[in-house]
Amino acid sequence: MNGFDIIGDIHGAADELETLLAGMGYERSDPTGAYRHPVRTAIFVGDLIDRGPQQLRVLEIVKEMADAGSAMVTMGNHELNAIAFASPDPTRPGEYLRRHSAKNQAQHAAFLEQVVGDDRSRFLDWFMTLPLWLDLGDIRIVHACWHGPSMAVVESEVGGNRFTAPEQFVRASTKGDPLYTAVEVLLKGPEVGLVQYGQPAFLDKDGHRRDRARLRWWNGQADTLDDLAEIGGSFTTEDGSPYPSVAAVPVPADERSYVYTDRVPVFYGHYWRRWAPQQSVDWTTYTACVDFSAVRSGALVAYRWSGEQTVMPGNYISSLQFSPQPA
């Protein structure tokens, strides 16, 4: 093994996945039929499902690779959501761990339509076995945020980096439970309040009102709100006005505790970037996002790690580089 290819959120974009794998030198092998590279291993950061048109094919490709040993997979928040959506809530008869509200139904509709019957049961069972993070010594992989204290809680509560019993999913779906709080950080990322600092709420990319912003935990130098609050340039206030500049006010130490300061490269997805990667936004010396909105922009992205001790932006690679160009 001469390196890892860390692949971002696929969200049902099977064409882009196969284009990227082939472009990186992965081929279907006998007798398993799984994609395999002669000397490298793929790592998927989660969010294989929801949104896109080819979710069953994505799941079949990725699971075949994992079963054959040519890939590793971490759990994304969409895999956890799928488990909770399908799991009855023992404390509320007739309800599920993830409520079947109109909003949740809409977010999960494509998976429910495309992955049915025995296939759905089989892949939900597989989701339950996925680790929440991977620490491979020289590199680290997590879906949304690498945070040692949250990982320590998970290890204390479940005995390692993955769930081992059904009741743990109940706890991970119950607000106020320490396991819920820890898993939210790891799979959805920490957030910072806005209103308490005099900032208005905003409408996110899906038009939902938010009064908390994602926290830029990858910014190792951050100590003020403008450095920590992740608010996209297209976001607006509730009345549709452009979102104002975020104030440069100090943020308390407890919220800054999420900021990553270790000197081990960590790779993550979740944040819906746009190709191509930008310094400080998508990558820093020791952090690299690999989620570049495969469904919405057609850019499924991998980082090809070959032993370097710091992130090298030239090691990013996109499915767009191998796609046929329009005439």
Side-chain angles (χ1 to χ4, degrees):
M1 196 282 295
N2 289 341
F4 294 111
D5 297 315
I6 303 105
I7 298 173
D9 305 31
I10 305 170
H11 282 301
D15 289 344
E16 287 76 10
L17 173 58
E18 295 200 87
T19 295
L20 181 62
L21 288 171
M24 294 192 297
Y26 288 77
E27 297 180 349
R28 288 194 179 275
S29 62
D30 292 326
T32 67
Y35 279 97
R36 184 184 297 277
H37 193 280
V39 294
R40 299 178 68 85
T41 299
I43 303 177
F44 297 92
V45 301
D47 278 10
L48 309 175
I49 63 167
D50 290 333
R51 302 185 189 276
Q54 301 156 328
Q55 295 181 42
L56 181 57
R57 195 163 120 225
V58 165
L59 292 173
E60 289 170 339
I61 292 169
V62 174
K63 188 173 187 301
E64 284 175 355
M65 293 179 69
D67 290 346
S70 60
M72 293 179 275
V73 190
T74 61
M75 183 183 291
N77 61 298
H78 283 260
E79 285 75 47
L80 181 63
N81 287 348
I83 294 167
F85 192 91
S87 300
D89 185 341
T91 68
R92 296 179 299 129
E95 298 289 341
Y96 291 80
L97 296 180
R98 182 169 174 82
R99 293 179 184 273
H100 289 191
S101 64
K103 175 184 173 183
N104 291 345
Q105 292 265 15
Q107 290 177 342
H108 202 41
F111 175 80
L112 297 175
E113 292 168 0
Q114 296 174 40
V115 185
V116 300
D118 291 343
D119 284 328
R120 187 186 300 170
S121 298
R122 176 166 60 100
F123 285 112
L124 286 171
D125 288 344
W126 178 55
F127 293 167
M128 293 181 184
T129 71
L130 298 177
L132 300 175
W133 70 88
L134 292 169
D135 189 339
L136 303 179
D138 293 327
I139 61 170
R140 297 165 169 175
I141 297 92
V142 70
H143 183 66
C145 176
W146 190 274
H147 185 236
S150 294
M151 293 169 176
V153 170
V154 172
E155 289 174 331
S156 172
E157 299 298 327
V158 308
N161 67 345
R162 67 186 77 210
F163 296 104
T164 56
E167 58 268 20
Q168 294 166 355
F169 290 100
V170 178
R171 294 187 54 202
S173 302
T174 304
K175 290 184 178 181
D177 191 292
L179 187 58
Y180 171 90
T181 303
V183 171
E184 285 280 298
V185 170
L186 301 175
L187 299 193
K188 297 183 181 179
E191 295 183 336
V192 59
L194 295 171
V195 176
Q196 69 197 68
Y197 295 102
Q199 294 286 145
F202 66 94
L203 300 181
D204 68 11
K205 67 182 187 303
D206 295 316
H208 299 138
R209 181 188 182 277
R210 307 285 186 185
D211 58 15
R212 297 180 62 82
R214 287 171 168 171
L215 188 147
R216 293 175 182 152
W217 61 270
W218 53 88
N219 184 354
Q221 308 303 314
D223 58 8
T224 58
L225 187 64
D226 58 330
D227 288 333
L228 285 170
E230 173 79 350
I231 299 178
S234 61
F235 291 175
T236 69
T237 59
E238 293 181 85
D239 65 5
S241 303
Y243 197 83
S245 298
V246 178
V249 296
V251 171
D254 61 335
E255 294 193 287
R256 287 188 282 110
S257 68
Y258 294 103
V259 172
Y260 187 75
T261 57
D262 291 353
R263 297 195 172 196
V264 178
V266 57
F267 300 90
Y268 61 97
H270 189 61
Y271 288 94
W272 287 87
R273 307 297 191 200
R274 293 290 177 180
W275 184 256
Q278 302 176 51
Q279 187 174 10
S280 299
V281 177
D282 307 310
W283 65 273
T284 67
T285 303
Y286 296 105
T287 70
C289 183
V290 290
D291 177 17
F292 284 80
S293 308
V295 173
R296 293 186 177 179
S297 69
L300 182 63
V301 169
Y303 181 98
R304 311 204 78 182
W305 181 83
S306 300
E308 63 273 15
Q309 296 180 346
T310 60
V311 171
M312 307 294 290
N315 291 355
Y316 274 105
I317 192 166
S318 165
S319 60
L320 296 175
Q321 296 171 235
F322 309 111
S323 300
Q325 299 300 310

